[in-house]
Amino acid sequence: AKRHRASRSIGGVYRYRLPLCFVCFFLNVALFTDRTTTAAAGEPARHTPHRPSRMDESEGFAEDPRRRYDVEFFPAGLLQANCVVMRDLATKQAVLFDAGGEGALIVTRVLGLGLKLLAVYCTHAHVDHIMGVPEIKRMMPEVKVYVHEADMPMWDMAQYQCMMIGLSIPRSPIPKPDGGLPVEPFAILPGLMCTVVHTPGHTPGSVCFYFPQLDLLLSGDTLFQGSVGRTDLLGGNAEQLAQSIRQHLYCLPNNTRVIPGHGDETALGFEKQHNMFVRVTTV
């Protein structure tokens, strides 16, 4: 049996998709592929976020980081970019990745979980990944926003990007980022190390966030399930994208869980063998 993805915003409110011409202009065809409800060995499984019970959630944190750090993702904004919430169950702190829209609903979700949001990290500066920032900054001005320095000029062109793809143009510029991204591995949450992997190609400043303790990669629009990011948009470079994936992502362990910028999650070993755009012959 196959399940079909619905266009859904946070809170279960269903919306109509944009006209197909706009969606196809900006997203990959892979986003609309049906996913099976079960997965064979080595194939990507559908999203099943870890939910420890309240009684024992504090037990085993030191032995297994997966029990301490919870990760969930959901589509947000008109172009349904995956927004990722990563929380520390011990300290109730959280960070956010790619606020693509519906910032008020994202804040409501974070507060509903009883979390203190520390920062928003952006995989790149295309508008479908940053349009939620204004509302988040308005409601939580203390929250910091970070993007790679190479995408700062694209951030400043957000209104132009909206015009090019037929989205409503913001009345005021999106608040500027508070800074760039660290070059060296850093503690993104207490006890949790993150490595920012610069993967230019989709945009000059595209990055992925790698968490070796969780065997997790947030790949943004660099790598999708069975596909890769577009390179015919502003700042794109096909050769650079393929090189980024082969040199910086395919060197990671096969069992690495991959949450992309759009669509369902996948596994790195699966993409190495089956991704029709960038594949390796030896895994």
Side-chain angles (χ1 to χ4, degrees):
K2 290 186 176 181
R3 63 184 178 92
H4 299 269
R5 291 180 60 83
S7 180
R8 179 174 61 84
S9 64
I10 308 167
V13 179
Y14 286 82
R15 300 187 175 186
Y16 294 103
R17 292 187 182 275
L18 285 178
L20 187 59
C21 59
F22 290 150
V23 178
C24 290
F25 174 82
F26 211 83
L27 306 180
N28 283 272
V29 176
L31 304 182
F32 302 98
T33 304
D34 289 341
R35 313 299 189 199
T36 57
T37 57
T38 58
E43 294 189 358
R46 64 180 182 178
H47 175 53
T48 51
H50 172 63
R51 292 289 183 270
S53 65
R54 294 183 179 275
M55 295 184 62
D56 66 354
E57 67 178 7
S58 62
E59 299 178 5
F61 280 170
E63 294 78 9
D64 186 0
R66 292 174 183 82
R67 300 187 65 179
R68 173 171 176 172
Y69 305 102
D70 180 72
V71 180
E72 70 171 358
F73 67 98
F74 43 80
L78 289 174
L79 294 179
Q80 299 286 273
N82 284 332
C83 176
V84 181
V85 178
M86 180 175 290
R87 56 175 171 156
D88 181 351
L89 298 174
T91 65
K92 302 300 181 183
Q93 295 177 324
V95 290
L96 195 71
F97 300 87
D98 285 354
E102 303 174 288
L105 292 177
I106 293 174
V107 170
T108 299
R109 172 63 176 164
V110 170
L111 294 179
L113 293 171
L115 302 174
K116 178 183 179 180
L117 184 61
L118 302 180
V120 176
Y121 294 90
C122 305
T123 59
H124 61 294
H126 278 161
V127 288
D128 61 324
H129 291 255
I130 65 174
M131 288 294 284
V133 169
E135 286 184 310
I136 293 175
K137 291 288 283 185
R138 178 179 60 83
M139 299 175 70
M140 308 178 82
E142 72 281 2
V143 171
K144 304 297 184 182
V145 179
Y146 301 102
V147 71
H148 194 279
E149 292 181 356
D151 265 13
M152 294 287 191
M154 190 172 296
W155 187 288
D156 294 333
M157 299 173 62
Q159 293 174 306
Y160 173 76
Q161 292 185 58
C162 290
M163 180 182 67
M164 290 297 294
I165 63 174
L167 293 178
S168 298
I169 300 176
R171 294 182 180 179
S172 58
I174 296 177
K176 289 184 177 295
D178 293 283
L181 295 169
V183 176
E184 300 296 329
F186 69 106
I188 197 167
L189 287 170
L192 181 64
M193 298 304 296
C194 173
T195 298
V196 178
V197 184
H198 186 205
T199 53
H202 182 62
T203 67
S206 284
V207 301
C208 300
F209 296 94
Y210 178 53
F211 303 87
Q213 294 160 273
L214 305 179
D215 294 320
L216 173 67
L217 178 74
L218 307 182
S219 63
D221 284 5
T222 296
L223 182 67
F224 297 125
Q225 185 185 95
S227 189
V228 298
R230 294 188 62 161
T231 57
D232 58 342
L233 303 174
L234 187 66
N237 184 305
E239 292 184 4
Q240 201 173 35
L241 178 68
Q243 184 179 33
S244 291
I245 293 173
R246 288 196 176 98
Q247 291 187 359
H248 302 303
L249 300 188
Y250 282 179
C251 62
L252 300 177
N254 290 343
N255 66 338
T256 301
R257 175 190 180 192
V258 180
I259 300 178
H262 299 271
D264 285 347
E265 67 181 88
T266 184
L268 199 57
F270 178 85
E271 297 306 320
K272 292 178 185 180
Q273 291 183 314
H274 303 291
N275 193 298
M276 63 182 295
F277 293 94
V278 181
R279 187 183 302 177
V280 294
T281 55
T282 302
V283 181

